[in-house]
Amino acid sequence: MNAYAKPEGARPLISLVVPVYNEEEAIPIFIGAMRPVLDSVDENWEIIFVNDGSRDTTIDVLRAASVADGRIKVVDFSRNFGKEVALTAGIDHASGAAVVPIDVDLQDPPELIPQMVEKWREGYEVVLAARSDRSSDSWAKRVSAGMFYKVMNRMSSVPLPSNVGDFRLMDRCVVDILRQYPERQRFMKGLFASLGFRQATVEYVRPTRSAGETKFRPVRLWTLALEGIVSFSTAPLKIWTYIGIVCASFAVFYMAWIIMKTLFMGVDMPGYASLMSVILFMNGLILTGMGVIAEYIARIFNEVKGRPLYIVRERIGSFDDDMTAPGHTAGRVL
Ligand code: UDP
Ligand code: MG
């Protein structure tokens, strides 16, 4: 039985979690579009904006919105921590029976929420919003995303659906489990996917941004992709054993060949070129292998330091701390 059938106390029915970074223009449009949709489902909702260290007037816009409507709440970060962490903070602070992470730029259409709630009402614990096409993304993003999902799904034991983003509805029971995941380096899509539960899907066509421009530069996407692979697969670590074995076997044969040749045909000095290429090639391999190991060690280092995942500068609006106190071991509210 999910939390729809068994709401607890005065908890809101739906919490939207919205990470925002320099989105002063998009926020009023978002709230304007969202309010009637949410009201049509149930007036008992909350929107939690996480201001991810914006450098424009985003925080003032949010403050005004929160004063005007108490159901709008704000978690203000001390600096930019990235969308994944902002989502985590929002989920930590959400008290609804269902939690819906959503982008502020209306690329995740509000009209989908009633459909998601409908599925949730039927008893599904997770309702995914799947894009039926990616035509609103740039060509480069489509190709790189396609490659990423192919590699990712080959390497990791958790299948990652290629057409769903962070936009989804999660029942309270799923959220409570998600909040127990302690890792600091987070790839939310993968974490979401690894939880399981009864899942339903609703389809939509992803529109283009309502205002402002994308916050994800290619470097950021590359970092995110690397994060996804490294946090959900150890294949890149293990493969070095096999590369090593193949190279070593090759070297043994080559050595045998050289010994035989020297025995029967004597020593010949030329061989500088082949020697150099073997040395350079092997060094390249070793450095690559070390680089991969370093990626993992860097992550272990970050986990072990145990620093807070995010730092909240200020919270605006009323939060129910019994229900929402940063369950996240690394979260800290100052
Ligand atoms: N975002 C964030 N922190 C960041 C970058 C982005 O909170 O460091 C938010 C952004 O405000 C938006 C959402 O993440 O609400 C998705 O960003 P965007 O629309 O730029 O990404 P895209 O849709 O192009 O993938
Ligand atoms: Mg967007």
Side-chain angles (χ1 to χ4, degrees):
M1 194 191 280
N2 69 20
Y4 188 84
K6 206 178 59 172
E8 253 175 60
R11 125 182 327 184
L13 188 69
I14 304 172
S15 302
L16 294 191
V17 170
V18 197
V20 285
Y21 177 53
N22 298 343
E23 302 280 9
E24 54 187 6
E25 301 155 51
I27 291 167
I29 307 177
F30 175 81
I31 296 176
M34 215 39 143
R35 200 194 306 264
V37 176
L38 289 175
D39 280 343
S40 76
V41 177
D42 190 311
E43 302 211 329
N44 188 17
W45 49 262
E46 66 176 1
I47 300 183
I48 300 194
F49 283 102
V50 182
N51 178 27
D52 188 10
S54 301
R55 271 171 229 162
D56 59 2
T57 61
T58 292
I59 188 65
D60 304 322
V61 176
L62 290 177
R63 195 185 301 275
S66 175
V67 169
D69 188 338
R71 295 174 295 182
I72 297 175
K73 301 162 189 184
V74 183
V75 176
D76 186 26
F77 277 180
S78 64
R79 63 170 166 88
N80 180 265
F81 283 85
K83 183 186 177 188
E84 309 290 302
V85 175
L87 272 180
T88 309
I91 290 171
D92 284 349
H93 285 88
S95 56
V99 176
V100 180
I102 185 167
D103 284 1
V104 73
D105 54 14
L106 295 183
Q107 284 194 295
D108 303 330
E111 311 79 68
L112 227 56
I113 290 181
Q115 292 179 40
M116 293 167 122
V117 170
E118 198 51 50
K119 291 273 182 199
W120 178 41
R121 212 170 263 170
E122 287 168 21
Y124 292 98
E125 282 116 6
V126 177
V127 186
L128 304 172
R131 280 182 236 184
S132 46
D133 78 320
R134 271 185 173 261
S135 53
S136 65
D137 283 350
S138 68
W139 178 82
K141 195 165 173 191
R142 277 207 297 266
V143 172
S144 57
M147 260 159 41
F148 167 69
Y149 285 108
K150 211 168 259 168
V151 172
M152 182 79 194
N153 281 328
R154 185 132 310 162
M155 289 211 275
S156 141
S157 54
V158 181
L160 194 64
S162 64
N163 54 354
V164 307
D166 296 321
F167 185 33
R168 63 190 58 217
L169 180 147
M170 287 177 291
D171 187 73
R172 177 50 44 187
C173 64
V174 180
V175 173
D176 285 344
I177 291 181
L178 188 66
R179 290 177 65 200
Q180 290 167 19
Y181 276 52
E183 56 243 71
R184 274 148 194 92
Q185 253 135 12
R186 309 171 73 83
F187 180 64
M188 283 308 240
K189 255 185 235 191
L191 279 184
F192 287 153
S194 69
L195 296 179
F197 286 95
R198 290 190 62 207
Q199 308 198 345
T201 307
V202 292
E203 296 236 327
Y204 72 109
V205 177
R206 195 166 170 84
T208 49
R209 235 174 188 284
S210 67
E213 53 183 38
T214 175
K215 308 291 179 295
F216 283 88
R217 305 267 165 272
V219 176
R220 263 193 133 117
L221 283 173
W222 164 252
T223 317
L224 189 65
L226 196 65
E227 195 61 59
I229 290 174
V230 174
S231 56
F232 277 89
S233 166
T234 47
L237 270 183
K238 293 179 185 155
I239 197 170
W240 289 97
T241 316
Y242 302 100
I243 294 180
I245 290 172
V246 169
C247 288
S249 330
F250 187 75
V252 168
F253 285 117
Y254 189 57
M255 197 169 71
W257 157 248
I258 289 179
I259 292 175
M260 299 306 277
K261 203 173 140 201
T262 314
L263 282 181
F264 292 106
M265 302 205 256
V267 186
D268 64 339
M269 266 318 264
Y272 177 76
S274 57
L275 204 63
M276 266 325 263
S277 27
V278 169
I279 290 177
L280 287 176
F281 177 68
M282 290 313 294
N283 279 328
L285 270 192
I286 292 169
L287 284 177
T288 316
M290 277 173 58
V292 171
I293 295 170
E295 285 290 335
Y296 285 87
I297 294 187
R299 281 170 177 75
I300 297 172
F301 179 57
N302 277 337
E303 298 293 337
V304 167
K305 274 190 293 190
R307 295 202 178 145
L309 184 60
Y310 52 84
I311 303 170
V312 175
R313 202 179 67 80
E314 187 189 359
R315 298 194 296 178
I316 305 166
S318 65
F319 290 88
D320 183 346
D321 279 335
D322 288 342
M323 216 128 64
T324 64
H328 205 273
T329 45
R332 174 180 293 173
V333 176
L334 297 179

